[in-house]
Amino acid sequence: MALLAPASTVPCALVALTVFRVPTWACLLCFTSYSERLRVCQTFAGMEGPELEKCEEAFTAAFKGLLDTEINYDERSHLHDAFTQMTHSLQEMATAQGSFEVAFPDAAEKMQKVVIQLKEVQACIPPCGLQEVARRFHCRGCYSTVCDLPLDCPVQDVTVTRGGQAMFSCTVNFQLPKEEITYSWKFAGGGLRTQDLSYFREMPRAQGYLARIRPVQPTHRGTFSCVITHDQRPLARLYYFLNVTGPPPRGETELQISFREVLRWAPREAELIEPWRPGLGELLARPEALTPSNQFLLAAIAALASASVTLLA
């Protein structure tokens, strides 16, 4: 069997797999080049002749065990380095007049041990989201895949009494990248419970993963959406349907109700939601609210209180 056409990159490896129908190279084809493989066999068996073909066939057969190997996508560079080191070792053995019939199976066994020691692929966590941490690389075909999950998360129902407070936490149960994460909020009013993006309008003043509405009014009844983005690429869209319950405030007359309905037609701010700005009690009660800026604020308050006590003393 002849060695495959030159393939120094993953796309070229894919072409070789497709055209020559030789899937048995698998990981070897993904992480080594044609010239590297040819050089190894030429060192073992000479520049041409039957022995060279026999070497090529032995090379193919030795790595059949890595055909269906799947690895953590982030571990590709480690595996590539291991294959590079392997080819150098094989050339050294060939130069020392070693046997490829012994060298190839031994090299394949060592590579299987390397694969086992790589960081495991993380499992997909339902029900939604683009989970890059779970991306895996397939040696059969030299390509990668992510979890087959929708970008849109199921709608969460939130019921709040009129005049109360609604809190939304835009968090997911899978690991997000550590940098360049942004959150954007949208609202579909009129009591709609929907995931149709055409009904939503932007709420530019709402920022961060926590947001709240207070006091909640019937006009807030509808669906709020939070989009988690990494480097301008959406990772997940979360939805919250806010249902407002409770009677009108005590003592509200029919004239006041009519007057309020008229005011609804007046120009008003584009957003109904505000970023969550916790008070001192909330900061102490919610550890996740202790951001660096909030910690600095608490330190300043403590210092001011200490200075006041010193002056009074």
Side-chain angles (χ1 to χ4, degrees), residues 180-199:
E180 299 183 20
I181 293 294
T182 57
Y183 301 86
S184 58
W185 292 85
K186 299 179 180 181
F187 176 63
L192 286 176
R193 190 180 191 278
T194 181
Q195 291 180 306
D196 187 338
L197 298 180
S198 64
Y199 288 103

Side-chain angles (χ1 to χ4, degrees), residues 98-301:
S99 168
F100 61 79
E101 294 177 342
V102 175
F104 290 159
D106 182 61
E109 183 179 350
K110 290 180 180 179
M111 291 308 303
Q112 287 178 335
K113 292 180 180 179
V114 170
V115 170
I116 293 174
Q117 294 174 357
L118 295 176
K119 184 170 62 177
E120 292 184 0
V121 182
Q122 294 192 27
C124 298
I125 302 177
C128 58
L130 178 59
Q131 303 177 24
E132 282 293 339
V133 293
R135 182 180 287 275
R136 61 185 61 209
F137 182 85
H138 304 262
C139 280
R140 182 192 284 268
C142 305
Y143 69 98
S144 68
T145 59
V146 292
C147 305
D148 186 18
L149 296 172
L151 197 63
D152 292 319
C153 301
V155 179
Q156 303 178 46
D157 290 291
V158 180
T159 301
V160 178
T161 304
R162 179 175 181 166
Q165 174 177 282
M167 182 80 76
F168 305 113
S169 178
C170 190
T171 57
V172 290
N173 55 2
F174 59 88
Q175 183 181 340
L176 294 174
K178 296 180 179 180
E179 299 178 352
E180 299 183 20
I181 293 294
T182 57
Y183 301 86
S184 58
W185 292 85
K186 299 179 180 181
F187 176 63
L192 286 176
R193 190 180 191 278
T194 181
Q195 291 180 306
D196 187 338
L197 298 180
S198 64
Y199 288 103
F200 288 86
R201 60 182 176 84
E202 298 285 346
M203 305 176 69
R205 281 180 53 190
Q207 300 174 355
Y209 76 97
L210 282 174
R212 69 178 175 184
I213 302 173
R214 62 174 185 178
V216 171
Q217 298 298 333
T219 53
H220 297 147
R221 187 174 185 270
T223 305
F224 293 84
S225 172
C226 172
V227 182
I228 304 175
T229 306
H230 173 247
D231 194 22
Q232 300 184 343
R233 186 182 186 185
L235 300 182
R237 283 193 291 260
L238 286 74
Y239 299 88
Y240 311 86
F241 176 70
L242 178 59
N243 188 30
V244 183
T245 62
R250 184 178 301 175
E252 188 174 59
T253 65
E254 183 177 347
L255 179 60
Q256 288 175 318
I257 295 175
S258 301
F259 182 67
R260 188 178 67 252
E261 294 296 328
V262 172
L263 289 179
R264 289 180 181 175
W265 293 95
R268 54 186 175 181
E269 294 184 356
E271 62 279 344
L272 300 171
I273 197 170
E274 63 178 12
W276 183 52
R277 298 184 178 89
L280 179 59
E282 290 173 302
L283 282 173
L284 297 177
R286 298 174 66 98
E288 67 271 17
L290 292 176
T291 60
S293 60
N294 289 336
Q295 293 176 11
F296 178 79
L297 179 61
L298 286 175
I301 293 173

